[in-house]
Amino acid sequence: MIRLSIAVAVLSVAVPAFAQDDFPNRPVTIVVPFAAGGPTDTVTRLIGEPMSKVLGQQIVVQNTAGAGGTLAAGEVAVAEPDGYTVLMHHIGMSTAPSLYASLPYKPLEDFKMIGLVTEVPMTIVGRKDFEPNTLQELVDYVKANTDTVTYANAGVGAASQLCGLLFMEATGTKLTEVPYQGTGPAMTDLVGGQVDFMCDQTTNTAEQIKGGTIKGYAITAPERNPALPDLPTTAEGGLPDLNVTVWHGLYVPKDTPDAVVQKLNEALKAALKDPIVVERFAELGTTPVADDLATPAAHSERLQSQIDLWKKVFEAAGVQPQ
Ligand code: MLT
């Protein structure tokens, strides 16, 4: 009897250890919390290719859009903690706790962090035939036409919604928001002229601005961006406090073994040095993070500090959780 329980105990330790050594022995899914064709999807697919080479397994990108990115985060939080379900999320992981009265997950407690991926500036953009031509003209126009101007975003908790809140705060306006499942479909409507303007990451706007299918008003960064050298900064356009950088990171459920986290982290670090990723990121106005930020520790520190920061910003602005 005693011998049998020792054998069972040894077996129960040996099985997970083997499973970790073997990881990954089947495709790994990265869940994107917004629609296909948008900025989060683009970044994920770009790093997914070189990550799959390092892991020796296919990476499947799954778009689970809804509730400003919180639907996917809630699903990954309770997924099997075996490394086969990974979440790509952005700054929304840190804003959601202040924007949602009841969130189905705790960002800091329910996940292990794999590492940061990239930091992307945003751009304020309008439909091609929208009347304003500069940021200052946009501000004046929006103030004069508050009731009719439409502003696209990807729902409460999305980066585009955050940037819109900051824009409204900076201009003292209250706009009509048109929510989408992601800024991929929002961009389709902006190009088609169905909405007036939005604020979105360069990874979704740089090529449209350069191609002239939409109007670029400003980049939400202190410096101009090499991918869009003609686009003024928000400070140049008269809104010096409107600076937003959208940071991205990879997450797994909290009970995922450390050895698996390490393998995913090694794949991430290699992907961020891949020449095609570096080149494509640059064309889209961004860069991979440096090695010291592509770590669980740096990622966790960023998440904590950003949760604290946005809580203060929203409280000061009187934004209530819904
Ligand atoms: C997306 O991928 O659609 C965006 O990241 C949405 C957003 O956060 O604005």
Side-chain angles (χ1 to χ4, degrees):
M1 187 62 168
I2 290 171
R3 241 184 237 156
L4 181 66
S5 43
I6 288 172
V8 168
V10 168
L11 189 68
S12 65
V13 170
V15 169
F18 173 77
Q20 290 167 41
D21 290 348
D22 196 33
F23 176 84
N25 61 17
R26 58 186 168 86
V28 172
T29 297
I30 303 187
V31 180
V32 169
F34 297 101
T40 319
D41 185 67
T42 296
V43 165
T44 307
R45 287 177 199 274
L46 281 171
I47 65 158
E49 180 71 24
M51 276 184 80
S52 81
K53 282 193 192 131
V54 176
L55 293 170
Q57 286 291 338
Q58 199 193 344
I59 298 258
V60 176
V61 176
Q62 178 186 309
N63 299 87
T64 302
T70 63
L71 179 69
E75 286 186 10
V76 174
V78 295
E80 201 60 46
D82 54 10
Y84 291 97
T85 308
V86 179
L87 173 71
M88 167 71 91
H89 209 335
H90 62 21
I91 194 167
M93 270 303 242
S94 63
T95 57
S98 298
L99 296 171
Y100 284 85
S102 157
L103 207 56
Y105 56 90
K106 294 190 178 69
L108 284 162
E109 292 167 33
D110 290 345
F111 299 93
K112 271 187 183 163
M113 288 89 201
I114 306 292
L116 294 168
V117 176
T118 183
E119 294 165 313
V120 188
M122 301 195 82
T123 48
I124 302 173
V125 293
R127 62 179 159 81
K128 194 169 66 181
D129 52 356
F130 197 30
E131 287 82 338
N133 287 314
T134 64
L135 184 62
Q136 190 54 62
E137 284 179 23
L138 175 71
V139 171
D140 294 343
Y141 187 90
V142 157
K143 283 182 175 169
N145 299 278
T146 308
D147 295 343
T148 52
V149 169
T150 51
Y151 173 84
N153 69 29
V156 176
S160 45
Q161 189 245 357
L162 169 68
C163 189
L165 284 175
L166 298 174
F167 179 88
M168 289 190 267
E169 174 73 9
T171 56
T173 52
K174 178 86 192 79
L175 300 171
T176 303
E177 299 180 47
V178 184
Y180 290 82
Q181 299 278 29
T183 51
M187 178 59 79
T188 304
D189 272 9
L190 190 70
V191 171
Q194 277 91 34
V195 282
D196 292 329
F197 82 111
M198 72 172 170
C199 184
D200 194 18
Q201 298 160 67
T202 56
T203 35
N204 202 36
T205 62
E207 294 192 331
Q208 302 286 0
I209 295 171
K210 284 189 270 194
T213 55
I214 57 172
K215 249 179 210 179
Y217 293 116
I219 186 145
T220 65
E223 308 286 337
R224 288 194 181 202
N225 190 288
L228 293 162
D230 299 332
L231 193 65
T233 65
T234 36
E236 289 176 75
L239 296 178
D241 297 331
L242 184 46
N243 284 312
V244 201
T245 301
V246 183
W247 53 273
H248 298 68
L250 292 178
Y251 303 78
V252 283
K254 70 172 187 307
D255 291 326
T256 306
D258 288 337
V260 169
V261 170
Q262 195 181 331
K263 281 190 183 171
L264 288 167
N265 176 261
E266 280 159 14
L268 169 64
K269 280 188 164 158
L272 296 180
K273 293 191 184 76
D274 183 272
I276 295 173
V277 169
V278 174
E279 187 186 331
R280 193 70 190 121
F281 272 26
E283 286 167 358
L284 297 175
T286 189
T287 48
V289 297
D291 248 9
D292 61 339
L293 290 180
T295 65
H299 185 178
S300 174
E301 200 181 303
R302 174 71 59 91
L303 181 60
Q304 175 72 74
S305 66
Q306 287 272 296
I307 288 174
D308 296 344
L309 170 81
W310 293 114
K311 185 170 186 292
K312 281 189 202 134
V313 170
F314 292 141
E315 276 173 6
V319 175
Q320 298 295 329
Q322 10 182 301

